[in-house]
Amino acid sequence: MTKAIAVAGLHKSFGRTHALDGLDLAVEAGEVHGFLGPNGSGKSTTIRVLLGLLRADSGTARLLGRDPWADAVDLHRHVAYVPGDVTLWRNLSGGEVIDLYGRLRGGRLDPARRRDLVARFELDPTKKGRTYSKGNRQKVALVAAFASDVDVLILDEPTSGLDPLMEEVFQDCVKEERDRGRTVLLSSHLLSEVESLCDRVSIIRRGRTVETGSLAELRHLTRTSVTAELASAPAGLTHLPGVHDLDVRGRHVKLQVDTDKLDAVLRSLTASGVRSLTSTPPTLEELFLRHYTGAEEVAAR
Amino acid sequence: MTGPAAVPATAARRKGPGDELAGTGALLRLALRRDRVLIPVWAIALGGLVASGASTLEKVYPTAAQRADVARSMSGNGSLRALYGPVFGDSSGALTAWRFGGFGCVLAAVMSLLIVVRHTREEEETGRQELLSSAMVGRRAPLTSALLAAFVADAAVASIVTAGLAESTGNAAGSAALGLTIGAIGMLFAAMAAIMAQLTESARLAKGLTGAVLGAAFLLRAAGDTATRDASSVLDHLSPLGWAENVRPYAGERWWVLLLVVATALAQGAVAYVLAGRRDIGMSFVPPRPGPAEGRITTAYGLAWRLQRGGVLGWAVGFALAGLLFGRMADGAAALVGDNARTREIIQRMGGQSGLTDAFLATMVGMLGMVAALYAVSSVLRLHGEETDGRAEPVLAASVGRVRWAAGHLVIAFGGAALIMTVGGLGLAAGHGGDAGPLLGAALVQLPAIWTLSGLAVLLYGAFPRLAPGALGVVSLCLALGWIGPALNLPAAVLDVSPFGHLPKLPGVGMAWSPVLLLTALAAVLTGAGVGALRRRDVVG
């Protein structure tokens, strides 16, 4: 399968700030890829390198197999981008801007698709740039992107400012894009959004990729919480590998265990006789918090 | 009644006119902190230039007899009066007021209008004001702090001018009159900008309209001074810049005229205050009209034209009017000139020799050219604004190359300069009568110099984007050299810094092709280098 986006060992500094420090990112053609990381971890910098707006100091970046810096103009025919903070020209109407972006991407927008999107996003295209709220400015860019006939959508926190109803419309649109075989790179902080849309995710921290894989694979790397009431006091739990935060009060046990070590723990518990047991798989939030707070610890050091 | 509706009584007790100004002190500190470089640079450069005027002039005209001769000859020349106003005395102070006063007033006005719009409408346009106003900030506090910031800057200019000239001329009253006039004109245009900032939704438009008023005031004064030798024309009485010269520093100061300037500034400030108190934040009094639901802009060129067309057309109208006015004044200006060797020498340096009418027209064409350079460079800087405001990024993320994106704006900057100079030249010809060819040619010969400065702006923007706004400083320097340079006996090396100094002074002299072609080539090289650098650098987010 061809890679829609292939980034390897990317470095980019702004003065003394090292924004990207050997970042890797691989997005397969046709997948929706979540791009996650704390604020300031380098997500937008990566995206701007992929758009040919910034030139990487070293490393390679390939978009649809081509160099985004050298082939920017021709590549952009196949790419639609939605920034996290959309700025519009104060004296142009939203409709004018939508059509402008469509044409600047090298073709007219499909009128039926455009009409449909404007209606679904409940956007008034006759208002002028300055009079739109943040969410509505975001909708202008989203309509222009979804109505474009492109292969790759690069969305940088595209739903900031959208209300929950519009968030749902957005998720439907992304699913439609995937069904048409388009590739989507979605940078987001909304974990529910990532969970429901993304086939695979990459988590970056301080300019490096720290995890990448499908959600199932990532879950596997984290801990499961186990609470149990036993027939007799437990024995030997402390010595088991992968057990954390063990809390034993008489016959009541609470613990966290690395998900791939779960089996041994359950065997040990059943040896003492299990009266009741709850086991909670890791939530996506826990997955991210592990990385996000880890970043702060590193920064604090 | 109890519960969450209860508000601490202090808020209710303090309600009154003072509430509207709550937070002014904090906002003023913020404004001065943000302008900690801008205001001192302006105040020292502008104040210092005027303050050094007397000693500069004494070096050029060391004896009282020479100064008397200069005063006589200068006040006899219409084109010089159009530029500097009339001479009211032959002391070094009076000559300073004549040569530097008008210049100082215009620059103080520009400085003040920039400061006021920057801290009022620009803050609202960027959305920063919203957050500030959500704190304990009164409705009129932003306007008050902006006017106070302008006042600080104007007071600094006035103090430097007064102190410097009192030292070198020994005439404290005259020096105070000149310093206060410059400061008061600054505040008059600060208050004018405050009104425009209430009436328009865009900071650019607010600056443009205030600048247009300033331009009109200059034209009225120039026309009035060409028509009369003592600034007594009705046209002078209509222009705040005409009032400024009627204060007559060092020549029997008329303090009541200064009071008129101050009173007008206060009245305008009051209007702005009333407007500010009745207005929604971020809005103007004109509700925004809906636009088309579907767009017809298809290219980067179309977008650039749509963004800049208002500006180009506004400048074209201004140039047509200025051309008509100067054209009509040309014959009268020549008739008033006395036959004096000194005058002829000055005119030679300023505008060529064959015929005083031609000299006047050549001077005016040169003025239009330098002002057109301001247009062209600020039009080039639209690229910088689009990029730093984040609007360039999505356009460049579409299938638009940087060269094509930049070319869209550059065509308008370079072509727009050609357009407004054409219109200005035709206006001159229409006002003066006779064959339009020579005047149109004279206007178009300015273009290589305009384009050279625009090319410099492109290079700065492409290679050193943070320094790009400095291109306007270079244009201002050239304006200053062209405006107050010629009579100061500045060394040729200094005057040659300005590309305008190299152009043939058409009409009236022979066409010289080599400087025109060289400057055109230089402009092309600078522009090419700038666009090349833009292709290679990061887009600023």
Side-chain angles (χ1 to χ4, degrees):
Chain A
M1 203 173 181
T2 53
K3 296 246 189 301
I5 296 173
V7 171
L10 204 60
H11 283 264
K12 178 72 188 174
S13 306
F14 301 104
R16 272 179 293 174
T17 323
H18 217 96
L20 297 183
D21 187 16
L23 184 126
D24 303 308
L25 176 67
V27 179
E28 306 289 342
E31 76 174 0
V32 179
H33 195 100
F35 194 33
L36 304 145
N39 296 326
S41 57
K43 299 187 296 290
S44 294
T45 305
T46 309
I47 285 174
R48 299 174 89 236
V49 169
L50 284 172
L51 290 169
L53 297 168
L54 302 180
R55 175 144 67 172
D57 296 337
S58 65
T60 56
R62 288 283 176 277
L63 182 58
L64 298 169
R66 292 155 70 184
D67 180 349
W69 177 266
D71 289 339
V73 175
D74 202 43
L75 259 181
H76 292 172
R77 205 179 287 278
H78 309 285
V79 177
Y81 165 59
V82 176
D85 196 357
V86 177
T87 352
L88 301 177
W89 295 275
R90 54 176 296 286
N91 54 350
L92 297 191
S93 71
E96 283 183 289
V97 173
I98 291 171
D99 289 328
L100 171 69
Y101 282 139
R103 282 171 183 137
L104 291 182
R105 282 180 192 125
R108 286 181 66 88
L109 300 175
D110 173 5
R113 175 97 175 127
R114 180 190 186 281
R115 232 184 350 263
D116 173 54
L117 285 164
V118 167
R120 283 164 72 189
F121 277 108
E122 296 175 16
L123 179 72
D124 175 0
T126 65
K127 284 174 80 177
K128 295 279 180 69
R130 267 287 290 162
T131 56
Y132 282 118
S133 67
K134 174 167 171 48
N136 280 319
R137 288 202 305 271
Q138 216 65 38
K139 289 183 200 170
V140 169
L142 285 170
V143 169
F146 286 132
S148 297
D149 183 20
V150 293
D151 301 321
V152 179
L153 289 142
I154 296 181
L155 312 176
D156 191 359
E157 299 183 28
T159 56
S160 47
L162 290 194
D163 66 43
L165 283 176
M166 290 304 134
E167 171 70 37
E168 217 171 289
V169 175
F170 166 78
Q171 295 200 8
D172 291 343
C173 288
V174 172
K175 285 171 188 157
E176 289 164 24
E177 296 298 317
R178 179 176 46 197
D179 294 345
R180 294 185 198 187
R182 290 172 184 168
T183 311
V184 180
L185 179 65
L186 171 65
S187 147
S188 175
H189 284 296
L190 288 181
L191 302 176
S192 58
E193 181 179 285
V194 172
E195 203 158 20
S196 78
L197 290 177
C198 295
D199 306 309
R200 295 198 313 138
V201 300
S202 292
I203 303 176
I204 71 167
R205 190 177 79 191
R206 294 165 65 77
R208 284 168 184 270
T209 313
V210 289
E211 298 285 9
T212 185
S214 68
L215 286 173
E217 286 165 357
L218 293 188
R219 283 217 174 88
H220 198 64
L221 297 172
T222 55
R223 297 169 189 170
T224 302
S225 314
V226 176
T227 315
E229 190 190 346
L230 306 175
S232 58
L237 277 176
T238 34
H239 304 298
L240 286 176
V243 172
H244 308 270
D245 304 334
L246 180 61
D247 180 14
V248 180
R249 288 186 187 165
R251 288 175 291 135
H252 292 267
V253 176
K254 275 168 104 175
L255 60 83
Q256 303 249 319
V257 56
D258 292 346
T259 306
D260 54 345
K261 302 288 192 311
L262 186 59
D263 189 51
V265 170
L266 289 182
R267 279 172 203 282
S268 166
L269 290 175
T270 26
S272 308
V274 175
R275 288 242 173 99
S276 74
L277 176 89
T278 50
S279 153
T280 323
T283 62
L284 201 51
E285 270 84 351
E286 282 167 340
L287 192 84
F288 292 123
L289 284 176
R290 215 183 92 202
H291 290 295
Y292 283 34
T293 46
E296 275 161 37
E297 280 162 22
V298 173
R301 245 180 259 158
Chain B
M1 204 180 109
T2 59
V7 169
T10 48
R13 226 189 3 256
R14 281 180 48 201
K15 202 161 175 64
D19 248 18
E20 303 255 292
L21 299 178
T24 302
L27 288 183
L28 176 62
R29 275 197 299 279
L30 172 67
L32 294 178
R33 165 83 185 142
R34 287 181 59 208
D35 289 350
R36 63 189 181 277
V37 177
L38 187 87
I39 289 179
V41 166
W42 267 98
I44 291 169
L46 169 56
L49 184 70
V50 179
S52 67
S55 47
T56 312
L57 285 169
E58 274 172 27
K59 256 180 241 146
V60 184
Y61 311 111
T63 67
Q66 276 175 322
R67 287 197 287 274
D69 180 45
V70 166
R72 235 189 344 274
S73 59
M74 293 296 175
S75 58
N77 180 323
S79 45
L80 288 175
R81 282 205 310 276
L83 286 182
Y84 308 111
V87 188
F88 288 113
D90 55 13
S91 66
S92 63
L95 287 176
T96 305
W98 159 75
R99 172 60 73 164
F100 293 91
F103 180 76
C105 285
V106 169
L107 284 192
V110 171
M111 170 186 79
S112 307
L113 81 88
L114 290 179
I115 291 174
V116 168
V117 175
R118 177 176 156 83
H119 294 295
T120 52
R121 183 50 74 176
E122 208 163 296
E123 287 291 278
E124 290 181 51
E125 205 178 23
T126 54
R128 289 190 289 253
Q129 190 58 51
E130 197 171 298
L131 187 52
L132 290 173
S133 288
S134 70
M136 285 189 63
V137 168
R139 190 161 292 125
R140 289 173 169 135
L143 177 59
T144 312
S145 62
L147 286 171
L148 286 175
F151 182 79
V152 167
D154 282 313
V157 171
S159 312
I160 294 173
V161 170
T162 305
L165 286 176
E167 169 79 23
S168 56
T169 65
N171 181 341
S175 306
L178 182 59
L180 289 174
T181 301
I182 291 173
I185 290 290
M187 284 315 290
L188 188 148
F189 280 94
M192 171 72 70
I195 295 179
M196 296 302 182
Q198 311 307 315
L199 295 180
T200 62
E201 251 183 68
S202 119
R204 184 184 302 281
L205 190 58
K207 288 179 201 164
L209 287 176
T210 316
V213 173
L214 179 61
F218 185 85
L219 284 183
L220 287 173
R221 187 208 54 70
D225 285 343
T226 310
T228 58
R229 302 184 88 148
D230 57 353
S232 60
S233 155
V234 177
L235 298 177
D236 280 315
H237 296 163
L238 290 173
S239 162
L241 297 175
W243 305 344
E245 57 193 17
N246 270 307
V247 174
R248 300 192 178 184
Y250 303 99
E253 293 81 11
R254 295 171 167 177
W255 295 101
W256 64 269
V257 182
L258 185 56
L259 279 182
L260 177 66
V261 178
V262 173
T264 308
L266 288 175
Q268 291 189 127
V271 172
Y273 264 79
V274 171
L275 295 175
R278 294 186 179 175
R279 190 170 64 79
D280 295 337
I281 196 159
M283 302 287 161
S284 73
F285 288 96
V286 189
R289 281 173 298 159
E294 292 183 12
R296 284 192 299 271
I297 307 172
T298 53
T299 60
Y301 292 99
L303 175 63
W305 169 244
R306 177 63 194 272
L307 295 176
Q308 295 216 33
R309 65 180 180 194
V312 179
L313 297 177
W315 279 87
V317 169
F319 267 54
L321 292 176
L324 272 173
L325 189 68
F326 288 138
R328 285 195 69 82
M329 283 157 28
D331 284 326
L336 280 169
V337 175
D339 185 23
N340 178 298
R342 183 83 206 161
T343 314
R344 213 174 285 136
E345 192 198 321
I346 298 273
I347 285 177
Q348 231 163 48
R349 217 178 289 153
M350 288 193 45
Q353 65 277 42
S354 92
L356 290 165
T357 304
D358 279 350
F360 177 84
L361 289 169
T363 309
M364 294 306 130
V365 166
M367 284 277 298
L368 289 180
M370 286 188 281
V371 176
L374 278 179
Y375 155 79
V377 167
S378 43
S379 174
V380 168
L381 292 180
R382 279 301 277 268
L383 289 169
H384 184 248
E386 289 285 290
E387 184 180 346
T388 50
D389 290 350
R391 287 184 295 255
E393 188 181 292
V395 174
L396 292 172
S399 192
V400 174
R402 295 191 190 181
V403 175
R404 199 143 58 88
W405 171 72
H409 287 274
L410 295 183
V411 162
I412 292 169
F414 287 66
L419 173 75
I420 65 176
M421 285 311 290
T422 304
V423 170
L426 291 176
L428 274 174
H432 186 238
D435 189 6
L439 282 172
L440 185 58
L444 293 180
V445 159
Q446 304 293 316
L447 284 174
I450 299 169
W451 288 339
T452 300
L453 292 174
S454 315
L456 181 68
V458 178
L459 179 62
L460 281 178
Y461 166 67
F464 315 100
R466 279 191 201 156
L467 300 180
L472 278 175
V474 176
V475 179
S476 311
L477 180 71
C478 293
L479 247 171
L481 284 175
W483 192 355
I484 57 173
L488 295 183
N489 283 3
L490 288 175
V494 175
L495 290 174
D496 282 351
V497 167
S498 168
F500 289 96
H502 302 274
L503 297 174
K505 315 265 188 255
L506 297 180
V509 299
M511 178 63 187
W513 282 103
S514 54
V516 170
L517 294 176
L518 276 174
L519 283 175
T520 308
L522 180 61
V525 169
L526 289 170
T527 307
V531 172
L534 172 65
R535 286 181 67 186
R536 286 187 297 275
R537 74 166 164 84
D538 291 343
V539 171
V540 181

